[in-house]
Structures are given as structure tokens and as C-alpha cells.
Amino acid sequence: MEQTFIMIKPDGVQRGLVGEIISRFEKKGFSLKALKFVNVDRPFAEKHYADLSAKPFFNGLVEYIVSGPVVAMVWEGKGVVATGRKLIGATNPLASEPGTIRGDFAIDIGRNVIHGSDAVDSATKEIALWFPEGVVHWQSSLHSWIYE
Ligand SMILES: Nc1ncnc2c1ncn2[C@@H]1O[C@H](COP(=O)(O)OP(=O)(O)OP(=O)(O)O)[C@@H](O)[C@H]1O
């Protein structure tokens, strides 16, 4: 089944939003497949955001991601990439709908609390980058209560 890479950024960790964010993905019915709490170094952050290296905000973005620990996760479920992005909300939190994570908990684009893969292809790449050891293979006993 489809998987996505989700990262709670340093501001989300500092602001005590880890439990709230995990809870939203769990309550939706998505399934946690991997999780780690890590400090990333600059080369790793630059690799994760390599597609944005030409952007004027790139250095600030890398500084932000290395500024404290992050929670890296893999979530699985039908349509989890696109629906995960909906749970997260628009990149600029002032444009994110209330009820989304960014809409409820953030204001500035450079402090938008969470990252989620933007496509199935990028999810595959990001999961390989963050979890080279692989993910946990299990199936929730709630599966048949969530999927028809
Ligand atoms: N104009 C900007 N100024 C400052 N930071 C920005 C700006 N645009 C994007 N960012 C930061 O770079 C991240 C990646 O930008 P991108 O355009 O890929 O948005 P996104 O896909 O919604 O975010 P993410 O990849 O973190 O889920 C944003 O989440 C935000 O933290």
C-alpha cells in the first residue's frame, strides 16, 4: 500500500506538537510504519531539500531544519501521500484551512511545523533517504474496520 514520509520539523517538536500530529494521522486511519527522533546535519538537510537548492530561502530552510531534533516517520494507507498533504495544509500557514495542521498551529511559511512528501515518487526517495534500514512490517488489527 502507498507510503509517505512525514517529518515534524524542529518548531513542531519545540512547541510540543508531536503527540497531536501523530494523533491526527492515527485517527484518520493511517498506519505508522517507521519513526525516529533525530538531529540532522547540514549535508543531510541539504540532500533532503536538494530540489530547492536554487531558492533564495534555501539557506534559511536548512538552518531551520538543523536547528533542533525532528521526528521522521513513514505512514501508510490508501492515498496517504495526497491525503497526508491535505491533513498538513497549504505550505503558507496563513493560507492553510483551519482544521489542517498548519492552519491550526502555524503562522509563518518558514516555521510551518511539518513536512510531507508531495508525490508518490518523492515519498519513495525520501523514505529511502531517511530510513535506509527499512520500515516495520506489520498490519493493524483495525485494518478491516478501516478498509472495506
Ligand atoms: N518563501 C519561502 N520562505 C521561507 N521558507 C519557505 C518559502 N517557501 C517554502 N519555504 C520552506 O521550504 C519548505 C519546502 O517548500 P515546498 O515549496 O517544497 O513546500 P511544501 O512541499 O509544502 O513543504 P514541505 O516540503 O516542507 O512539506 C516549506 O515547507 C517551508 O518550510
Side-chain angles (χ1 to χ4, degrees), residues 43-96:
F44 189 89
E46 287 173 352
K47 206 166 174 183
H48 171 77
Y49 279 122
D51 290 352
L52 300 175
S53 60
K55 299 282 186 191
F57 57 81
F58 182 69
N59 279 337
L61 174 59
V62 170
E63 283 296 327
Y64 165 41
I65 297 305
V66 304
S67 66
V70 301
V71 177
M73 298 176 279
V74 176
W75 286 88
E76 185 177 282
K78 191 191 283 182
V80 69
V81 171
T83 300
R85 297 273 292 185
K86 283 187 193 160
L87 293 179
I88 288 170
T91 306
N92 182 348
L94 288 183
S96 310

Side-chain angles (χ1 to χ4, degrees), residues 83-112:
T83 300
R85 297 273 292 185
K86 283 187 193 160
L87 293 179
I88 288 170
T91 306
N92 182 348
L94 288 183
S96 310
E97 294 296 328
T100 65
I101 292 165
R102 287 169 175 161
D104 288 349
F105 301 121
I107 294 174
D108 258 2
I109 194 167
R111 295 290 182 273
N112 62 2

